[in-house]
Amino acid sequence: MATTDFIAAIELSSTKISGIAGRKSIDGSIQVLAYAYENASAFVHKGVIRNVDKTAQALTSIINKLEIQLHNSIAKVYVGIGGQSLRTVENVVSRTLEEEGIISQELIDGICDENLEVPWADLNVLDVAPQEYKIDNTLQTEPVGVTGKRITAHFLNIVARTTLKKNLEFSFDQAKVEIADLIIAPVALANAVLTENEMRSGCALVDFGATTTTIAVFKNNILRYLSVVPLGGNNITHDITSLKMEEEDAEKLKLQFGDVLYEEEENAETPATCQLEDGQHIELRQLNNIISARAEEILANVWHQLELSGYETKLFSGVVFTGGGANLKNLEEAFRKLSKVEKVKTVKFVHGTLMGTADALKKDGMHNTLLSLLMAGNENCCLQEVPKSAPQRPPVSEPINMFENDANLKAQEEEIRRKQAEEEKRRREKEKEEKRRKEEEEKKKKKAAAKSQPNRFRQFFESFTDNFFEDDKMSDKQ
């Protein structure tokens, strides 16, 4: 049976492009109806599209797979935007009034417009995270209606390289897929995995991806800092291949035997090993030395970004890990030792009730961003066909007598009708008179023509007589 009411979303990560469709219920639960993906490591690098044509082909394939599962057509999709160049930039706009007065919405709109007019070299402002407004010496989150003379607005602009958005739009346009909305992926993810209390009291969300690690800091329910580190789980996998194996085998070893804080048993007579499918043996100590070295580098970069945010000591709800890379054993403990932050936890699935396709609902953190985009959508993405109906004839209605209940209007109507009847009578009489006159003229013309022409009998008689006497004259002469 065809599904006619659903939300569709697309995520472009570093290793694959994923699509999902689901239906929201009144109680807030979501039923996942379709899921599909295409490998994108060859043409999407660190979240940035490098080949528009191949990306468009992958998008077309994903949409086709989703439509087959939905038994219906997709009109538009929500798209998450992320990538290496995504970050936040602070900006301050101040206004001083001539005299103390009430802050109006018009003034705030003008300040917001001025913020967007700031030129950024090779950067696009994708969104603006509203911050506080300082009115005189008081901070306000809702300044309209507050009295003051000087207002200073603090903005946090979410920016990215121009090519990030441009190539994304080119790809969807070439694939003939309409974008319902571009959603800042890290913000949507935070809304899906963090609690309101965590965002209010102060929390950092760290999303460990395949080729990037995204850090988002929240305080008082406001995004305060966003940055992307160009390192991820694939870097660890690539390092493991130095042990002379394929990346596929390296990924399996990382997930099965990886331990950031690996310690070999003291009383072990021989080093612990793991075995590949081809029979090759790898020492666990050697394997985890490689894993921990790169993992510690990534964690050090994460901590450095938190220090740059200025909120490293204000995160009362601590740090939350998510993403596929967060499945590495003892990653939380390694970060505690590095940063001295005690509250560190990993969230492997989004909040809320989700049902449906098992592939998209694995609780390993790998689909959290995709699911968060689905949760952020609110418009029906199904292609609605307008039924063609046969043209209907307008109903024939009886003429309405508007003067039925008005004596004056009735009298006026009768007078108009009488005058119209008299005019019609005069017109007909005039036409008859004109016709009669034309007939008389025609008769006169015929009589005149008859008089002007000689009688044919008379002409014949005179001609005959002349000839007869002419013959007599000639006889006498003889």
Side-chain angles (χ1 to χ4, degrees), residues 442-478:
E442 189 67 26
K443 288 180 180 180
K444 290 179 180 180
K445 286 180 181 180
K446 287 181 179 180
K447 287 181 179 181
K451 290 180 180 181
S452 63
Q453 293 181 359
N455 188 284
R456 289 184 180 181
F457 176 77
R458 184 179 180 183
Q459 287 179 350
F460 172 77
F461 179 78
E462 289 177 352
S463 175
F464 176 78
T465 303
D466 290 342
N467 291 335
F468 177 77
F469 286 109
E470 185 67 26
D471 291 341
D472 291 342
K473 289 178 180 179
M474 290 184 67
S475 297
D476 291 341
K477 285 180 181 183
Q478 290 179 356

Side-chain angles (χ1 to χ4, degrees), residues 224-237:
R224 302 295 184 173
Y225 186 79
L226 177 64
S227 181
V228 179
V229 175
L231 296 170
N234 279 8
N235 295 95
I236 299 175
T237 303

Side-chain angles (χ1 to χ4, degrees), residues 5-12 17-24 30-38 59 61-67 69-70 74 76-80 172 177 183 349-350 354-362 366-377 379 381-382:
D5 185 9
F6 57 82
I7 298 169
I10 297 287
E11 178 199 5
L12 289 85
I17 300 177
S18 305
I20 194 170
R23 182 192 296 114
K24 283 186 178 181
I30 297 178
Q31 181 182 7
V32 178
L33 304 170
Y35 169 74
Y37 73 93
E38 289 286 336
L59 290 171
S61 175
I62 290 172
I63 294 297
N64 290 338
K65 291 178 181 178
L66 293 176
E67 289 179 339
Q69 298 175 56
L70 294 167
I74 296 174
K76 54 188 176 181
V77 295
Y78 288 90
V79 182
F172 277 84
V177 178
I183 301 174
F349 200 66
V350 297
L354 285 92
M355 304 164 289
T357 306
D359 290 340
L361 299 178
K362 292 180 180 178
M366 296 187 68
H367 298 99
N368 283 355
T369 299
L370 180 63
L371 292 171
S372 70
L373 297 176
L374 179 63
M375 296 169 70
E379 294 181 6
C381 296
C382 179

Side-chain angles (χ1 to χ4, degrees), residues 227-436:
S227 181
V228 179
V229 175
L231 296 170
N234 279 8
N235 295 95
I236 299 175
T237 303
H238 182 72
D239 292 346
I240 297 173
T241 59
S242 63
L243 298 176
K244 299 179 181 179
M245 67 181 72
E246 297 293 330
E247 286 198 4
E248 184 178 353
D249 294 329
E251 181 70 16
K252 290 179 180 178
L253 291 182
K254 181 184 72 174
L255 295 176
Q256 188 173 358
F257 301 102
D259 188 345
V260 181
L261 300 177
Y262 178 78
E263 293 182 0
E264 199 162 33
E265 295 181 7
E266 296 180 359
N267 300 327
E269 296 181 359
T270 57
T273 62
C274 58
Q275 185 177 358
L276 299 177
E277 292 181 358
D278 61 1
Q280 180 184 357
H281 288 270
I282 304 294
E283 290 187 9
L284 291 182
R285 177 182 54 79
Q286 186 180 15
L287 171 68
N288 284 299
N289 282 345
I290 295 173
I291 291 175
S292 61
R294 181 66 76 172
E296 287 174 3
E297 179 189 5
I298 296 173
L299 293 176
N301 275 274
V302 169
W303 177 241
H304 179 60
Q305 292 299 321
L306 293 179
E307 289 178 321
L308 290 176
S309 73
Y311 284 86
E312 75 277 11
T313 61
K314 304 173 185 177
L315 305 176
F316 301 142
S317 290
V319 178
V320 176
F321 289 170
T322 192
N327 291 313
L328 200 56
K329 187 177 179 180
N330 281 324
L331 192 65
E332 295 177 14
E333 188 60 32
F335 187 74
R336 290 189 185 96
K337 291 183 176 181
L338 174 69
S339 64
K340 309 301 182 184
V341 176
E342 290 299 323
K343 292 183 179 180
V344 183
K345 70 175 184 178
T346 300
V347 176
K348 295 188 177 182
F349 200 66
V350 297
H351 299 313
T353 304
L354 285 92
M355 304 164 289
T357 306
D359 290 340
L361 299 178
K362 292 180 180 178
K363 297 185 177 181
D364 56 4
M366 296 187 68
H367 298 99
N368 283 355
T369 299
L370 180 63
L371 292 171
S372 70
L373 297 176
L374 179 63
M375 296 169 70
N378 52 27
E379 294 181 6
N380 187 9
C381 296
C382 179
L383 181 62
Q384 303 292 329
E385 294 185 359
V386 180
K388 295 182 180 180
S389 57
Q392 296 181 353
R393 294 181 179 179
V396 179
S397 57
E398 295 293 331
I400 300 174
N401 187 0
M402 297 184 300
F403 312 109
E404 183 177 4
N405 298 319
D406 195 316
N408 292 331
L409 290 177
K410 278 186 176 182
Q412 292 177 13
E413 181 191 17
E414 290 296 332
E415 180 66 20
I416 291 172
R417 288 178 179 175
R418 186 184 63 77
K419 289 182 179 180
Q420 289 177 344
E422 290 178 355
E423 289 179 2
E424 181 66 18
K425 183 178 179 181
R426 285 195 294 268
R427 183 184 65 79
R428 289 179 179 177
E429 290 177 353
K430 187 176 181 180
E431 288 180 352
K432 288 181 179 181
E433 181 66 25
E434 184 68 20
K435 184 178 180 181
R436 187 185 63 77

Side-chain angles (χ1 to χ4, degrees), residues 149-167:
K149 185 175 183 180
R150 179 175 175 80
I151 178 172
T152 302
H154 295 264
F155 295 100
L156 194 66
N157 296 316
I158 303 175
V159 301
R161 288 183 181 176
T162 305
T163 53
L164 179 68
K165 182 180 178 182
K166 185 186 298 183
N167 288 356

Side-chain angles (χ1 to χ4, degrees), residues 95-97 102-113 133 144 148-149 151:
R95 293 280 183 89
T96 301
L97 306 180
I102 300 174
I103 305 300
S104 65
Q105 184 63 54
E106 183 180 0
L107 175 60
I108 297 301
D109 292 341
I111 292 174
C112 293
D113 291 340
Y133 295 83
V144 177
K149 185 175 183 180
I151 178 172

Side-chain angles (χ1 to χ4, degrees), residues 76-236:
K76 54 188 176 181
V77 295
Y78 288 90
V79 182
I81 187 166
Q84 180 180 347
S85 64
L86 192 69
R87 58 191 175 94
T88 51
V89 178
E90 293 182 351
N91 187 38
V92 177
V93 179
S94 298
R95 293 280 183 89
T96 301
L97 306 180
E98 293 182 358
E99 58 183 13
E100 186 174 353
I102 300 174
I103 305 300
S104 65
Q105 184 63 54
E106 183 180 0
L107 175 60
I108 297 301
D109 292 341
I111 292 174
C112 293
D113 291 340
E114 184 176 340
N115 168 66
L116 293 175
E117 291 171 359
V118 176
W120 304 100
D122 194 34
L123 292 174
N124 269 350
V125 177
L126 303 176
D127 200 359
V128 179
Q131 308 289 293
E132 295 97 347
Y133 295 83
K134 187 176 182 181
I135 301 177
D136 294 336
N137 294 318
T138 307
L139 290 176
Q140 301 282 346
T141 55
E142 297 180 359
V144 177
V146 179
T147 58
K149 185 175 183 180
R150 179 175 175 80
I151 178 172
T152 302
H154 295 264
F155 295 100
L156 194 66
N157 296 316
I158 303 175
V159 301
R161 288 183 181 176
T162 305
T163 53
L164 179 68
K165 182 180 178 182
K166 185 186 298 183
N167 288 356
L168 188 145
E169 291 176 336
F170 281 160
S171 299
F172 277 84
D173 184 61
Q174 189 166 319
K176 293 181 173 54
V177 178
E178 181 183 346
I179 298 176
D181 192 14
L182 283 176
I183 301 174
I184 307 300
V187 177
L189 178 62
N191 291 329
V193 300
L194 297 180
T195 64
E196 185 178 351
N197 182 61
E198 288 171 338
M199 298 176 75
R200 182 177 60 253
S201 60
C203 180
L205 177 64
V206 182
D207 180 20
F208 292 94
T211 59
T212 58
T213 300
T214 305
I215 302 98
V217 178
F218 291 85
K219 184 73 174 181
N220 295 331
N221 292 320
I222 298 174
L223 176 67
R224 302 295 184 173
Y225 186 79
L226 177 64
S227 181
V228 179
V229 175
L231 296 170
N234 279 8
N235 295 95
I236 299 175

